[in-house]
Each structure stands twice: as structure tokens, then as C-alpha cells.
């Protein structure tokens, strides 16, 4: 068994174990991938303070996100096709999150359905909604999430249309993978993935197939999703969805202070400063750079979370010190899942918890709730005005 000490170790195993089209789907950004790269490199520009001779005993990472207790301020982000990284992937990731005491967010574009995940877990999870043109389907989807007792609705706002990721087009991404000479050659080297996939019945888009008229199998699904995402989404529609849901709402994909103010006006429990992990607007600024101006624009009136680029506990610490009340990991947990299934997601969370705990102690803090801006050193002009 390899010794795993960091997220990069899980990433290497993920690459070795999972078919190329799904690894590439995870490990890519749109167009030139500039935003994808800067999401991580901008975290490196921030430094942690090192304080000494401070009592480090009795440390705690426990806090709250939207009033719900979390063992550390890290949730699993919604990730489409998670069940293609590893058989029954969403169920495995949700179970790992539940045992760890952090929120799991199920994507609309998951392989395991809302009902399936609810049946295989014992605590409520969060549901992420893509807004669709088909209003009947949208209403039923929201009702299904309510019936499954999901404890928050995460409405994703930065994917009305799909950003282009070159590798997905070149690899002919589909779920399940279409058998071509090159996918067959690749699958032959990924036999343990293939064996597990053969043993599960969950290989299509569980929230869609069988729930939308005219879509009984996955063959027409690509066409359907391209046509169905709502390019006309606006704040009025968001208000309507909020009314339909009538529970905690998180608005995800905010990168601009003006949009943050709009989100605040609509009324929500939290916003997620996010650029979708660099998968949508290439050339947009990194989330960590966008955080400060957004915090200044909304004040204390709304909880501010952040994702995009988090690969370590040090990154979580930096985001929290900058003012985020919570963070989300996308690729970091998917690498764990692709590497080792449920145990790999647990490992990813353990790695991040350990890094967060030790780094926080080195900054002279014992309680994550006491971490503030004075735990970090931010270069002048880091979040300066971009004109
Ligand atoms: C493979 C992949 C699939 C994703 N699918 C979704 C999705 O279905 N819904 C959504 O709101 N965000 C989706 N995202 C974005 C994540 O929720 C999150 O914003 C992003 O992964 C954060 O960046 P990180 O991967 O650098 O942590 C996806 C991200 C990845 C990497």
C-alpha cells in the first residue's frame, strides 16, 4: 500500500486507476486553463504567519456553515459524474462526508440519484440545482430534494451555458463511456475500475433518466442537457426557485461584488465565491483574489463561502483567515474517490484536517473560529482593484 501524505498522492493514484476521459474531465479547466491554474497558484502568494510560545493544547476545528455544525469548515462541492470516477461514487463520497461530519453536496448531474443517496446515508445532505428550461422537471426535482430531506439547496449560477474544455471534446466524454478502439485500449489498463462498474447498476444520470419525458436511456442525454440548461436565468427566476424550495439556500458561482450584492438582495443563507474550479469563464480572476472585494461589498449580512483551488489544509486556513466562513473541495475529494473509493475520500478529508490543524497551531491559534486576517500575510495589491 502506498503511503499517502497529501492530495497530490491521491491524484497520482486517481490517474492510474480511472479511465482517461473521466480523469481528464476532472483535471481540466476551460479554454487555456489560465483561471484553473491561477486558482491554485494565487493561494501560494499568500503566506501564513508563524507564531511561537503560544499554548497549542485543546485545539478545535469545529464550526458552523449556514447554522449547521461541521467538524471543520470544509464541504464536498457538487461534482457531476462522480459515479464515473468510481462505481457508486456519490454514495461513497456522501458516506465518507457523513462519517467525517462535513456536508456533502449532490450535483444535479450525478450518477446516483437523490433518492439513492438518501437511502444509503443517514444524515441530510445538500442538493445542488442546475436551473433547467423544463419547468415541470425543475419543480419535480426540487420536490424530490425536499422529499429526500436535503438540508440546503445550492443553486449554481455560473453554468447557464457550458464552458469549453478541450479534453472532453477530444476524449468524447460520455456516461457510460462509448466503446471505441481508444476507450477499449484505455479500459484494458483500468480493469479494477471496469470490474466495479460492471457490478453496479448506476451508470447513467440518476436524477434525469426516467424522470424526464422522452429520456428513458442515456443515449439522448447529451443532446438533452445542452438544450435544457436555462440560458435565460435571472434574479427573478432565482427568487421563484427560492420560494419553491422554502429552506436554506446557497448561491454558488459569485465572483463579482455587484453580483454578491444582488445575491444578498434576493436573500440567501450563503454565497459561494467560485469560478467553478476554472471550468467556465477562462480569464476570470481566482476565487481567493475575488474574496476580499466581495466580503467588503456584502459586509456581515450574508455568510460567504469559497471554493476553487483548495488542495490543502493550508489553503482552507488562508481562505478562512481572509474571511470565508466555509470552504468546499471539488477535485481534492474526487482524487481520493478515484484513487480508493470511500476510503480515499476519507483520506482526502483526513489529509486536509491534519494540515489545517497543524498550520492553525503554528499561527498561534487554537480555535478555527478565532482565525482572522492577522494569521496571514497578504501581498500588497493582492485583491486590488482591477480596472
Ligand atoms: C469534475 C467536476 C465536475 C463538476 N460538476 C459540477 C456540478 O455538477 N455542479 C456544480 O455546481 N459544480 C460543479 N463543479 C464545480 C465544483 O462544484 C467546484 O466549484 C469546483 O470543483 C471547485 O474547484 P476545485 O476543484 O479546485 O476545488 C465541478 C467540478 C469538477 C472538477
Amino acid at each position: 500500500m502506498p503511503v499517502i501524505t497529501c492530495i497530490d498522492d491521491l491524484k497520482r493514484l486517481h490517474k492510474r486507476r480511472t479511465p482517461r476521459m473521466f480523469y481528464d474531465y476532472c483535471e481540466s479547466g476551460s479554454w487555456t486553463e489560465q483561471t484553473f491554474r491561477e486558482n491554485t497558484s494565487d493561494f501560494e502568494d499568500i503566506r501564513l504567519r508563524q507564531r511561537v510560545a503560544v499554548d497549542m493544547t485543546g485545539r478545535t476545528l469545529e464550526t458552523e456553515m449556514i447554522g449547521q455544525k461541521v467538524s471543520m469548515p470544509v464541504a464536498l462541492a457538487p461534482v457531476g459524474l462522480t459515479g464515473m470516477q468510481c462505481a457508486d461514487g456519490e454514495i461513497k463520497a456522501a458516506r465518507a462526508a457523513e462519517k467525517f461530519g462535513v456536508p456533502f453536496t449532490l450535483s444535479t448531474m450525478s450518477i446516483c440519484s437523490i433518492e439513492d443517496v438518501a437511502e444509503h446515508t443517514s444524515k441530510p445532505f445538500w442538493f445542488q440545482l442546475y436551473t433547467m428550461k423544463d419547468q415541470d422537471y425543475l419543480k419535480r426535482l426540487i420536490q424530490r430534494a425536499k422529499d429526500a430531506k436535503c438540508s440546503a439547496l445550492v443553486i449554481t449560477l455560473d453554468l447557464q451555458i457550458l464552458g469549453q474544455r478541450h479534453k472532453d471534446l477530444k476524449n468524447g466524454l460520455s456516461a457510460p463511456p462509448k466503446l471505441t478502439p481508444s476507450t477499449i485500449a484505455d479500459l484494458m489498463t483500468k480493469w479494477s475500475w471496469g470490474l466495479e462498474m460492471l457490478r453496479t447498476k448506476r451508470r447513467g444520470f440518476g436524477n434525469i433518466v426516467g424522470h424526464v419525458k422522452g429520456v428513458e436511456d442515456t443515449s439522448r442525454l447529451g443532446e438533452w442537457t445542452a438544450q435544457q440548461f436555462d440560458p435565460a436565468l435571472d434574479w427573478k427566476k432565482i427568487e421563484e426557485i427560492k420560494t419553491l424550495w422554502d429552506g436554506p439556500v446557497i448561491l454558488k458561482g459569485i465572483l463579482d461584488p455587484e453580483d454578491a450584492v444582488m445575491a444578498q438582495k434576493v436573500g440567501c443563507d450563503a454565497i459561494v465565491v467560485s469560478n467553478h474550479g476554472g471550468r467556465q469563464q477562462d480569464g476570470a480572476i481566482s476565487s481567493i483574489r475575488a474574496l476580499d472585494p466581495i466580503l467588503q461589498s456584502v459586509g456581515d449580512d450574508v455568510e460567504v463561502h469559497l471554493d476553487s483551488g483548495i488542495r490543502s489544509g493550508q489553503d482552507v486556513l488562508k481562505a478562512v483567515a481572509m474571511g470565508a466562513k466555509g470552504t468546499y473541495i471539488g477535485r481534492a475529494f474526487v482524487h481520493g474517490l478515484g484513487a480508493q473509493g470511500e476510503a480515499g475520500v476519507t483520506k482526502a478529508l483526513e489529509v486536509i484536517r491534519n494540515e489545517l490543524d497543524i498550520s492553525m497551531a503554528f499561527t498561534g491559534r487554537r480555535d478555527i473560529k478565532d482565525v482572522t486576517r492577522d494569521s496571514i500575510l497578504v501581498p500588497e495589491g493582492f485583491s486590488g482593484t482591477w480596472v
Side-chain angles (χ1 to χ4, degrees):
M1 279 292 268
V3 179
I4 290 159
T5 58
C6 58
I7 297 297
D8 253 356
D9 290 341
L10 292 167
K11 181 174 161 183
R12 271 188 292 276
L13 289 175
H14 176 201
K15 186 172 188 179
R16 212 182 299 158
R17 199 180 174 276
T18 309
R20 194 176 61 213
M21 75 166 65
F22 299 120
Y23 176 81
D24 282 353
Y25 168 65
C26 170
E27 198 51 20
S28 56
S30 55
W31 305 114
T32 69
E33 302 192 332
Q34 180 190 14
T35 300
F36 172 49
R37 285 190 301 276
E38 289 182 357
N39 275 338
T40 47
S41 63
D42 282 352
F43 267 107
E44 289 169 17
D45 285 348
I46 299 172
R47 302 290 194 277
L48 297 170
R49 281 181 78 188
Q50 175 181 301
R51 302 300 309 279
V52 295
V54 181
D55 181 0
M56 288 183 183
T57 56
R59 296 189 300 279
T60 177
L61 300 175
E62 265 182 32
T63 181
E64 286 184 355
M65 286 170 79
I66 57 159
Q68 299 177 17
K69 242 197 192 134
V70 291
S71 61
M72 63 177 176
V74 180
L76 301 198
V79 169
L81 276 75
T82 294
M84 281 291 127
Q85 303 292 349
C86 167
D88 310 331
E90 287 89 1
I91 291 174
K92 289 174 182 165
R95 281 182 164 171
E98 179 175 309
K99 286 178 200 152
F100 212 88
V102 294
F104 170 77
T105 320
L106 184 73
S107 164
T108 295
M109 302 308 291
S110 58
I111 301 297
C112 305
S113 69
I114 304 173
E115 294 78 9
D116 213 1
V117 175
E119 200 179 308
H120 291 88
T121 50
S122 56
K123 288 193 196 131
F125 53 93
W126 295 352
F127 181 67
Q128 175 266 324
L129 185 77
Y130 277 131
T131 47
M132 310 277 181
K133 280 190 255 178
D134 182 337
Q135 291 301 300
D136 285 346
Y137 171 64
L138 189 72
K139 283 181 190 157
R140 271 184 279 124
L141 192 59
I142 292 173
Q143 189 56 48
R144 286 169 61 199
K146 272 190 188 180
D147 293 345
K149 311 247 176 317
C150 292
S151 54
L153 187 70
V154 179
I155 309 174
T156 296
L157 304 180
D158 60 1
L159 204 144
Q160 285 162 263
I161 51 172
L162 192 68
Q164 180 172 312
R165 301 143 206 164
H166 299 314
K167 286 179 225 160
D168 293 349
L169 296 178
K170 291 188 166 112
N171 288 333
L173 177 74
S174 65
K178 291 206 172 59
L179 294 180
T180 65
S182 84
T183 55
I184 292 169
D186 185 37
L187 285 173
M188 279 164 68
T189 64
K190 311 286 163 47
W191 53 269
S192 64
W193 177 93
L195 282 178
E196 283 180 15
M197 272 303 162
L198 284 175
R199 280 193 224 116
T200 182
K201 57 182 190 315
R202 304 177 184 99
R203 292 193 286 262
F205 290 92
N207 290 327
I208 294 168
V209 176
H211 296 279
V212 181
K213 285 178 215 109
V215 181
E216 299 310 326
D217 64 56
T218 50
S219 58
R220 291 178 51 211
L221 199 71
E223 190 193 324
W224 181 83
T225 45
Q227 288 166 0
Q228 278 303 315
F229 284 82
D230 185 3
L233 176 71
D234 58 17
W235 292 105
K236 194 168 166 292
K237 289 186 185 176
I238 295 165
E239 261 174 25
E240 287 164 10
I241 294 170
K242 220 184 128 260
T243 308
L244 272 178
W245 172 252
D246 195 23
V249 164
I250 300 173
L251 296 178
K252 174 173 183 280
I254 306 284
L255 206 63
D256 193 289
E258 287 180 22
D259 289 337
V261 170
M262 289 306 292
Q264 187 183 17
K265 277 193 191 145
V266 163
C268 58
D269 295 79
I271 58 172
V272 189
V273 177
S274 169
N275 53 38
H276 217 100
R279 299 164 73 79
Q280 288 293 99
Q281 174 73 305
D282 184 37
I285 59 170
S286 64
S287 291
I288 192 66
R289 256 186 222 275
L291 180 60
D292 211 29
I294 287 179
L295 282 164
Q296 284 173 26
S297 71
V298 295
D300 290 334
D301 289 350
V302 64
E303 206 167 296
V304 177
H305 301 169
L306 174 139
D307 78 15
S308 300
I310 292 180
R311 300 290 180 275
S312 67
Q314 297 91 303
D315 294 342
V316 174
L317 183 62
K318 289 171 184 177
V320 170
M322 287 282 277
K325 185 91 197 297
T327 65
Y328 299 70
I329 49 170
R331 295 178 182 88
F333 95 79
V334 176
H335 293 324
L337 183 73
Q340 299 182 333
E342 182 177 333
V345 178
T346 304
K347 189 74 207 175
L349 288 166
E350 282 170 356
V351 162
I352 286 179
R353 179 177 58 192
N354 189 41
E355 292 167 339
L356 176 58
D357 175 47
I358 304 270
S359 309
M360 178 180 77
F362 285 146
T363 66
R365 294 277 177 254
R366 294 189 294 180
D367 186 335
I368 193 77
K369 294 190 283 305
D370 294 336
V371 169
T372 55
R373 190 62 176 255
D374 72 348
S375 295
I376 49 173
L377 300 165
V378 184
E380 246 174 61
F382 181 74
S383 298
T385 318
W386 294 61
V387 287

